[in-house]
């Protein structure tokens, strides 16, 4: 075995107090299962310190299950490196195997043979004769469970080690062979001194020099032994002396060791809690009390004073007594560091002492960490970093970087710690390693996160802009992604990559954004990202990463239902503000509470079973098109069926409206908590509460029970023109139509219940909005009111055309707007008192057709009739015909005006106008008059039946004279309430037809008055005046010879009561043939002055007297 | 001549970082980041020692020769902070500052 004198394996866990420990190696021999071995090893380790009988000295043991023998070679240099005890553990099940097993034990002993004080063999499994023999070096146990005595055996073993140690210490300290002190050497020095004959050295100086060196080194060695033996104060004395001796001979390596010994002893004195951190704590575990006890009684101090002979008798230095006083004062904390520095500077002179130097650095760092002198500690660590031991194995490199990281952590340099941990992680997967340890790499990388101020919870990044070392953090995340992928855990890769994308988005270049999303999509194609937290073996949990920035949502708004589907609450007697259960109308507390409530709850309702909408304003921060799939709402409070949408947002889009829809399935209060998306294969649940800078106008809404849903369709096309009624109602459907004045249009409205609930109630109302030109419209007579109609299918209702009758400015188009309201309800919503309102807006553009520019009357031959003269103007651009009921057709060219005469029977207005009066009892006389006039107009209109037709357009309509009728015309048209009938020979006669009578025969003449007026009239006196019309303008009244009266020519009529008749009779005798007229005149005095003159209009009677035919 | 200039916010993130061999920028990020431990330590030590609070120069992380460099940089940084349009905590994007850093990076011969 080639001897490498260099100690090459550093113990990175070393600390100053290890100098006082005895090194015991515990190893298995033969085949022992790891589990069993470590079970026993653990128990052995628990015996880490022992108070030596009847003294206050404490012995500390350091156990190792692996120790490189070349390190053992340095045992003389620092005795804590020397393996002094060996415990071997072995399985042996039969006596037959025993000799062989025992042989192996001996072989094992050989390895550390030169330094061992004592050794033990623990045999498990062997029973019987052999096991019963009592041996000190071998212990037999039947099995691994049944071995209560192990600790006791170890204690005994340690005591035996102590005896050897103590004897060696005393032996060395009191070595009387004075002049012949051996020179202790480190392995690499040995060849230098080979052949050096110390005795034959000629030069005295050289010899003295050599002797001092021997003494110094031995002193140092004794110091080590004292320290191990629990005699701290003694060790300090020896170290001090050794330092002086060695300094004088410039034996730097050993001087360094002596200084370090001094430091170690001082550290042990100052810091009884240990400097080793966790490992140190473990060492003192279960023995904290005894450690304190050790502190109270500084071991060794007393003894030095009591038994100074142990020192003074020393042959090495006869003058130790002078040193005692100084030795009591161990190094101050500051001095410790100075001495460490010095020691390290000496070590650094020797290339082969690299491990010693490195370990010294580490020990000093631990001390400085306790002293909280981070800056100096970092200098030591910096030095340690630059110590190149040799070509380290990859595993050693990992260990080295890890320990550097731990040490930096220890002194509070978290960033440096993270840096080295990351280097260690990278080392785990270095290309030179045959089997890269991705798992270890990943684990180490995770540990670096705090150093880079990176948590894996995206919530930590949601507040404000991300501030951190983006470049290094991003690198770390990339490494985590890669490591987890190589670990074969794609879910982890996806999670980390999602996190990277979500939190580092602002720092990614366009190309990086593309690359990251590309690889994310690659990963998610095999393993989609979820919202489940991922638990790592180390106890860490990776929270889910919702993509709240893909897309970025700026605004969330819950939308009301469209106007036609909005539910309304029926006004109940209890009033609407039932929510306030306070008797006070106003209370500041309630008002305040309501205000708060309102800030969240929106004051409109959604309806169960009806699609409702939430509008989001989103934008895509990516430089490429973003495909968002499965975007839907997250809600609570009500069972909600979300109907997800897929959208595609263009690159770096501006704010882009997205509407998410869903159907509430139950009733109650629904809260929109957020939305979910699938982007790049990652499912995200984004909660609004977690979104920074989002604007929302409340997210809670009431869902009321289901209502039926009506759909309206009409025979007329829908129009884009929408009505804007001032009342605030919203019109759901609009139709518009263009009509000529007087034209009729039938509108068929079809209502269909497309909802799931039955329609139980439907109310139809109409309303004419104020029109722009003040057209007077008599309203919409609806054919029938619908009530309690269940599931109506088709409803047809003719709507009368609006009639315009203002003659003045008919030349331009007028508009009429009206609203039909359908108020309906049904299903559970109905029982809750909700209804819906569907309104149909009607927009009519009225173009002028024909109108009458002038109206006048001419009396007709009959008193019951008259001629109505109308000047008709065609204001259309088409030729049109005008006809009346009597089908007189008048053709009018565009823009032409013609007069037409219509013979009409006079009207008996008095018979009906009482009807409006019934309800208009309170109306003033003026209003009454107005109504009466209107009614008259209507009657005249219907009687006349004037219609127009535009043949080219095949359109027709009515023309009305209503508005034109002035008082005079009306009076002319009115039939007098006093109806006068003249009957000639029993036949009523009129001017048109001549009544025939025979000459010589008296003709009966009867004047009959029917009083239709509401008052009694009369008495009247009438005179019959006969005359002949010569048709040349001459009326011959001198007819005494031709016409004779039978009786008086003057009649008297008594007063006539309302609606009764009265008649007076007389007779005429025509003496000659001829045409005669009878003029019946009233006597001036008999006519009632207050009655209108038209009431006394008596028809002229035309009588033709003819010869009697034989 | 400086190879890398960084301005770090007191909340531990770079307000500005620039290095001359741009191809290995990340290396400088790591370097600056890890060296902040020392800055932290120096600042906390300053608090303890009650040294002149107006002395902002903490000293050298590693030996370089130029103290003036810090003065120049700090003056320019002060100018940036005086800009009313600059939001404290944002990344420094001032052109004047950038030019100053560039001048520090060009080897003065």
């Amino acid at each position: 075995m080639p001897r490498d004198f260099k100690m090459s394996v550093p113990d990175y866990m070393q600390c100053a107090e290890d100098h006082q420990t005895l090194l015991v190696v515990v190893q298995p021999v033969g085949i022992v299962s790891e589990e069993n071995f470590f079970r026993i090893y653990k128990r052995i380790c628990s015996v880490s310190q022992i108070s030596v009988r009847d003294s206050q000295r404490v012995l500390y043991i350091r156990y190792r299950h692996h120790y490189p023998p070349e390190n053992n070679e340095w045992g003389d240099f620092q005795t804590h490196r020397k393996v002094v005890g060996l415990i071997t553990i072995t399985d042996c099940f039969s006596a037959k195997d025993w000799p062989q097993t025992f042989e192996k034990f001996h072989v094992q002993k050989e390895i550390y043979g030169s330094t061992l004080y004592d050794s033990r063999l623990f045999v498990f499994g062997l029973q019987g004769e052999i096991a019963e023999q009592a041996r000190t070096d071998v212990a037999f146990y039947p099995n691994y469970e049944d071995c209560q005595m192990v600790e006791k055996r170890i204690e005994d073993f340690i005591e035996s080690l102590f005896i050897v140690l103590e004897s060696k210490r005393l032996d060395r300290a009191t070595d009387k062979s004075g002049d012949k002190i051996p020179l202790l050497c480190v392995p690499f020095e040995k060849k230098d001194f080979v052949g050096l004959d110390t005795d034959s050295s000629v030069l005295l100086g050289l010899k003295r020099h050599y002797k001092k060196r021997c003494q110094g080194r031995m002193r140092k060695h004794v110091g080590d032994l004292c320290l191990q033996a629990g005699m701290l104060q003694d060790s300090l004395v020896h170290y001090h002396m050794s330092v002086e001796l060695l300094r004088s001979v410039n034996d730097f390596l050993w001087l360094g060791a002596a200084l370090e010994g001094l430091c170690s002893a001082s550290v042990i004195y100052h810091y009884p809690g240990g400097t080793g951190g966790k490992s140190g704590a473990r060492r003192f575990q279960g023995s904290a009390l005894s450690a304190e006890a050790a502190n109270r009684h500084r071991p060794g101090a007393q003894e030095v004073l009591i038994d100074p002979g142990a020192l003074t008798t020393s042959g090495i230095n006869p003058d130790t007594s002078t040193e005692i006083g100084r030795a009591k004062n161990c190094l101050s904390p500051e001095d410790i560091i100075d001495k460490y520095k010095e020691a390290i500077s000496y070590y650094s002179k020797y290339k082969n002492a690299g491990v010693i130097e490195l370990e010294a650095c580490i020990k000093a760092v631990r001390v400085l960490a306790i002293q909280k002198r981070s800056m100096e500690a970092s200098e030591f660590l910096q030095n340690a970093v630059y110590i190149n031991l040799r070509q380290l194995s990859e595993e050693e490199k990992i260990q080295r970087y890890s320990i550097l990281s731990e040490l930096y952590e220890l002194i509070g340099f978290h960033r440096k710690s993270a840096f080295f941990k990351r280097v260690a992680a990278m080392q785990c997967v270095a290309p030179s390693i045959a089997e890269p340890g991705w798992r270890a790499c990943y684990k180490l990388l995770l540990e670096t996160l705090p150093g880079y101020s990176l948590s894996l919870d995206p919530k930590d990044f949601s507040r404000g802009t991300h501030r951190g070392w983006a470049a290094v953090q991003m690198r770390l995340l990339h490494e985590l992604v890669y490591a987890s992928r190589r670990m074969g855990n794609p879910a982890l890769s996806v999670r980390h990559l999602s996190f990277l994308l979500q939190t580092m988005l602002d720092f990614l270049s366009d190309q990086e954004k593309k690359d990251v999303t590309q690889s994310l999509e690659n990963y998610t194609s095999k393993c989609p990202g979820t919202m489940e937290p991922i638990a790592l073996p180390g106890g860490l949990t990776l929270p889910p990463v919702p993509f709240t920035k893909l897309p970025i949502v700026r605004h969330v708004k819950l939308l009301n239902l469209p106007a036609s589907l909005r539910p309304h609450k029926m006004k109940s007697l209890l009033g609407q503000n039932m929510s306030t259960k306070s008797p006070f109308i106003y209370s500041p507390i309630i008002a305040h509470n309501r205000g708060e409530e309102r800030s969240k709850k929106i004051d409109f309702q959604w309806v169960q079973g009806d699609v409702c909408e939430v509008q989001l304003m989103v934008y895509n921060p990516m430089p490429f098109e973003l495909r968002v799939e499965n975007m839907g709402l997250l809600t609570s409070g009500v069972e909600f069926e979300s109907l997800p949408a897929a959208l595609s947002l263009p690159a770096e889009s501006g704010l882009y409206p997205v509407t998410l829809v869903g159907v509430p399935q139950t009733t109650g209060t629904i809260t929109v908590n957020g939305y979910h998306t699938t982007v790049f294969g990652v499912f995200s649940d984004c909660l609004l509460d977690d979104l920074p800078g989002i604007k929302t106008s409340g997210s809670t809404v009431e869902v009321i029970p289901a209502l039926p849903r009506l759909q309206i369709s009409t025979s007329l096309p829908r129009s884009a023109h929408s009505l804007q009624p001032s009342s605030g109602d919203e019109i759901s459907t609009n139709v518009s139509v263009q009509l000529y004045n007087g034209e009729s249009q039938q509108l068929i409205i079809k209502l269909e219940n497309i909802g799931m609930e039955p329609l139980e109630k439907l109310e139809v109302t109409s309303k004419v909005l104020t029109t722009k030109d003040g057209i007077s419209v008599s309203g919409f007579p609806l054919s029938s009111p619908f009530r309690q109609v269940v599931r109506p299918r088709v409803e047809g209702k003719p709507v009368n055309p609006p009639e315009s009758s203002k003659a003045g400015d008919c030349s331009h188009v007028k508009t009429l707007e009206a609203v039909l309201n359908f108020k309906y309800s049904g299903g559970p919503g109905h029982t809750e008192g909700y209804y819906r309102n569907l309104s149909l807006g009607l927009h009519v553009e009225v173009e002028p057709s024909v109108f009458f520019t002038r109206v006048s009357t001419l009396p007709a031959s009959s008193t019951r009739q008259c001629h109505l003269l109308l000047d008709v103007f065609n204001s259309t651009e088409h030729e049109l015909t005008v006809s009346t009921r009597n089908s007189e057709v008048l053709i009018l060219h565009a823009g032409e005006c013609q007069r037409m005469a219509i013979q009409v029977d006079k009207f008996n207005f008095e018979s009906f106008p009482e009807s409006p009066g019934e309800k208009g009892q309170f109306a003033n006389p003026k209003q009454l008059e107005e109504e009466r006039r209107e009614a008259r107009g209507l009657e005249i209109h219907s009687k006349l039946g004037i219609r127009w037709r535009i043949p080219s357009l095949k359109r027709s309509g009515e023309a009305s004279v209503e508005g034109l009728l002035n008082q005079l015309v009306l009076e002319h048209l009115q039939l007098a309430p006093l109806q006068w009938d003249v009957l000639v020979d029993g036949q009523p006669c009129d001017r048109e037809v001549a009544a025939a009578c025979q000459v010589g025969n008296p003709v009966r003449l009867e004047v009959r008055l029917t009083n239709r007026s509401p008052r009694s009239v009369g008495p009247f006196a009438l005179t019959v005046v006969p005359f002949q019309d010569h048709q040349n303008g001459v009326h011959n009244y001198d007819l005494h010879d031709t016409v004779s009266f039978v009786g008086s020519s003057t009649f008297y009529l008594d007063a006539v009561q309302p609606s009764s008749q009265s008649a007076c009779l007389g007779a005429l005798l025509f003496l000659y043939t001829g045409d005669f007229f009878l003029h019946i005149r009233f006597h001036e005095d008999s006519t009632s002055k207050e009655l209108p003159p038209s009431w006394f209009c008596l028809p002229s009677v035309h009588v033709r007297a003819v010869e009697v035919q034989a | 001549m400086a190879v890398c200039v960084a301005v770090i916010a007191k909340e531990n993130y770079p307000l500005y970082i620039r290095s001359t061999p741009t191809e290995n920028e990340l290396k400088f990020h790591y370097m600056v980041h890890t060296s902040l431990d020392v800055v932290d330590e120096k600042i906390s030590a300053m608090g303890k020692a009650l040294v002149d609070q107006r002395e902002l120069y903490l000293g050298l992380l590693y030996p370089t020769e130029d103290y003036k460099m810090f003065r120049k940089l700090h003056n320019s940084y002060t100018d940036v902070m005086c800009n009313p349009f600059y939001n404290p905590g944002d990344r420094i994007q001032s052109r004047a500052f950038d030019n100053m850093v560039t001048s520090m990076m060009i080897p003065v011969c």
Side-chain angles (χ1 to χ4, degrees), chain A residues 46 54 65 254 367 430 521 586 601 665 676 679 722 733 806 895 947:
Chain A
S46 69
D54 62 299
H65 54 87
W254 285 78
V367 174
E521 277 179 322
Y586 173 78
K601 196 159 175 173
Q665 304 289 351
H676 60 83
V679 179
S722 64
T733 316
K806 265 252 171 78
R947 296 191 62 78

Side-chain angles (χ1 to χ4, degrees), chain A residues 319-361:
Chain A
D319 201 18
T320 43
S321 55
T322 53
E323 306 291 327
I324 294 170
R326 196 146 52 109
K328 277 201 278 188
N329 301 319
C330 73
L331 298 176
S332 71
E334 285 74 29
D335 283 346
I336 293 172
I337 302 309
D338 287 346
K339 291 291 180 278
Y340 263 125
K341 258 184 209 161
E342 195 186 341
I344 288 162
S345 74
Y346 294 143
Y347 290 151
S348 66
K349 293 178 194 291
Y350 300 89
K351 241 185 136 189
N352 290 327
V355 171
I356 305 289
E357 185 189 352
L358 181 67
E359 289 181 1
C361 282

Side-chain angles (χ1 to χ4, degrees), chain A residues 517-809:
Chain A
T517 51
Q518 182 71 52
S519 49
L520 181 57
E521 277 179 322
N522 284 343
Y523 289 137
T524 53
S525 63
K526 288 161 218 138
C527 175
T530 65
M531 280 302 286
E532 298 301 317
I534 299 176
L536 295 175
L540 194 73
T541 304
L542 293 185
V545 182
F547 278 149
T548 56
K549 286 183 178 169
L550 297 171
I552 295 174
V553 173
R554 276 276 171 268
H555 198 111
V556 175
K557 190 182 172 196
L558 277 64
L559 297 183
N560 201 345
L561 292 170
S564 62
L565 294 178
R566 246 168 247 174
H568 302 273
K569 183 87 178 159
M570 298 214 200
K571 285 192 179 76
S572 68
L573 291 169
L574 294 163
Q576 284 160 310
N577 280 349
M578 276 300 287
S579 58
T580 51
K581 288 188 179 108
S582 161
F584 300 107
I585 294 168
Y586 173 78
S587 152
I589 302 158
I590 293 170
H592 178 70
N593 286 345
R594 272 216 244 121
E596 255 183 5
E597 194 183 309
R598 197 164 299 157
S599 69
K600 263 267 165 179
K601 196 159 175 173
I602 310 169
D603 62 349
F604 57 72
Q605 289 99 23
W606 282 348
V607 179
Q608 174 192 3
D610 278 3
V611 173
C612 48
E613 299 176 323
V614 174
Q615 193 182 58
L616 308 177
M617 296 303 283
V618 302
Y619 81 83
N620 169 17
M622 291 304 213
F624 47 82
E625 187 181 292
L626 183 67
R627 282 203 50 74
V628 184
E629 277 151 33
N630 190 36
M631 191 168 188
L633 292 170
L634 295 173
T635 59
S636 64
V638 162
E639 203 179 299
F640 188 80
E641 184 196 348
S642 176
L643 307 170
L647 43 131
S648 176
L649 297 168
E652 270 156 25
S653 66
L655 275 184
Y656 202 85
V658 173
T659 305
L660 300 181
V661 297
V663 180
Q665 304 289 351
T666 56
T667 62
T669 302
I670 190 169
T671 305
V672 175
N673 299 320
Y675 58 92
H676 60 83
T677 56
T678 306
V679 179
F680 310 129
V682 178
F683 297 102
S684 306
D685 286 349
C686 308
L687 298 180
L688 299 184
D689 291 345
D690 296 340
L691 298 180
I694 193 162
K695 283 185 203 144
T696 166
S697 47
S699 53
T700 304
V701 112
E702 180 85 20
V703 177
I704 63 140
L707 283 168
R709 212 158 82 211
L710 284 190
Q711 195 180 48
I712 195 165
S713 55
T714 65
S715 55
L716 288 173
R718 284 177 170 233
S719 83
H721 184 99
S722 64
L723 299 185
Q724 294 292 319
S726 52
S727 59
D729 299 332
E730 277 182 59
I731 309 296
S732 38
T733 316
N734 281 293
V735 291
S736 85
V737 63
Q738 179 268 325
L739 293 174
Y740 283 107
N741 196 359
E743 193 178 353
S744 289
Q745 173 74 49
Q746 197 184 45
L747 176 64
I748 295 168
I749 299 166
K750 186 175 156 192
L751 293 174
E752 197 177 347
N753 185 0
I754 53 170
M756 304 301 289
E757 302 300 328
L759 184 83
E760 292 168 40
K761 187 176 174 183
L762 177 70
E763 254 180 66
V764 186
T765 52
S766 68
K767 186 163 72 178
V768 177
L769 307 173
T770 47
T771 54
K772 285 161 194 137
D773 289 310
I775 308 169
S776 65
V777 177
S778 49
F780 293 99
L782 298 171
S783 53
S784 62
F786 303 96
R787 301 238 170 191
Q788 307 291 339
V789 184
V790 181
R791 287 197 175 275
R793 300 312 305 178
V794 182
E795 322 281 359
K797 46 180 78 65
V799 175
N800 268 19
E803 286 156 311
S804 162
S805 43
K806 265 252 171 78
D809 48 349

Side-chain angles (χ1 to χ4, degrees), chain A residues 372 374-375 382 411-417 419 422 451-453 467-472 475-476 479 507, chain B residues 6 8 11-14 17 26 29-30 32-38 40-42 48 62 88-91:
Chain A
K372 304 218 184 308
S374 306
M375 284 302 288
Q382 198 70 43
I411 61 170
F413 280 25
H414 305 295
R415 300 178 188 86
K416 275 217 167 62
S417 165
F419 179 84
R422 187 183 150 268
Y452 291 108
S453 330
R467 288 175 170 178
W469 280 83
V472 287
R475 180 57 176 259
L476 176 59
E479 283 161 358
F507 301 96
Chain B
I8 314 297
E11 292 88 5
N12 173 30
Y13 64 92
I17 185 158
L26 191 65
H29 273 273
Y30 272 117
V32 176
H33 180 254
T34 47
S35 65
L36 287 181
D37 283 328
V38 177
D40 271 357
E41 190 58 38
K42 287 205 170 190
K48 270 182 269 170
Y62 294 102
D90 285 357
R91 282 177 166 253

Side-chain angles (χ1 to χ4, degrees), chain A residues 723-951:
Chain A
L723 299 185
Q724 294 292 319
S726 52
S727 59
D729 299 332
E730 277 182 59
I731 309 296
S732 38
T733 316
N734 281 293
V735 291
S736 85
V737 63
Q738 179 268 325
L739 293 174
Y740 283 107
N741 196 359
E743 193 178 353
S744 289
Q745 173 74 49
Q746 197 184 45
L747 176 64
I748 295 168
I749 299 166
K750 186 175 156 192
L751 293 174
E752 197 177 347
N753 185 0
I754 53 170
M756 304 301 289
E757 302 300 328
L759 184 83
E760 292 168 40
K761 187 176 174 183
L762 177 70
E763 254 180 66
V764 186
T765 52
S766 68
K767 186 163 72 178
V768 177
L769 307 173
T770 47
T771 54
K772 285 161 194 137
D773 289 310
I775 308 169
S776 65
V777 177
S778 49
F780 293 99
L782 298 171
S783 53
S784 62
F786 303 96
R787 301 238 170 191
Q788 307 291 339
V789 184
V790 181
R791 287 197 175 275
R793 300 312 305 178
V794 182
E795 322 281 359
K797 46 180 78 65
V799 175
N800 268 19
E803 286 156 311
S804 162
S805 43
K806 265 252 171 78
D809 48 349
C810 300
S811 52
H812 56 81
V813 177
K814 291 167 192 171
T815 48
L816 166 81
E817 291 179 342
V819 179
L820 270 176
N821 273 316
F822 302 90
K823 204 165 137 182
Y824 63 94
S825 188
H830 184 228
T831 32
E832 289 282 313
Y834 285 97
Y835 66 91
R836 271 180 169 153
N837 206 357
L838 186 65
S839 34
L840 174 69
L842 195 58
H843 176 88
V844 185
E845 288 194 347
V846 184
E847 282 188 45
S849 52
V850 292
F851 58 91
F852 305 100
T853 52
R854 211 165 71 89
V855 182
S856 55
T857 48
L858 270 181
S861 47
S862 158
T863 56
R864 298 284 175 92
Q865 288 185 325
C866 80
H867 291 285
L868 193 63
L869 299 180
L870 299 166
D871 288 357
V872 195
F873 177 71
N874 174 8
S875 61
T876 67
E877 289 167 352
H878 309 276
E879 186 184 271
L880 59 74
T881 61
V882 179
S883 62
T884 66
R885 199 170 291 283
N886 308 3
S887 71
E888 289 171 42
V889 176
L890 185 73
I891 296 170
L892 281 170
H893 298 287
E896 196 183 0
C897 184
Q898 278 195 35
R899 173 168 296 189
M900 63 189 290
I902 310 163
Q903 190 177 1
V904 287
D905 294 333
K906 284 197 179 179
F907 298 90
N908 182 9
F909 294 131
E910 296 296 328
S911 59
F912 62 88
E914 297 307 320
S915 51
E918 279 168 29
K919 56 184 176 185
Q921 274 174 11
F922 312 105
N924 58 41
K926 204 171 170 187
Q927 248 183 323
L928 212 64
E929 182 58 32
E930 192 63 39
E931 273 176 27
R932 198 174 293 168
R933 235 173 100 156
E934 224 170 69
R936 286 173 196 168
L938 260 176
E939 199 195 352
I940 295 166
H941 173 75
S942 61
K943 196 141 194 180
L944 291 178
I946 307 173
R947 296 191 62 78
W948 53 261
R949 219 175 97 75
I950 301 172

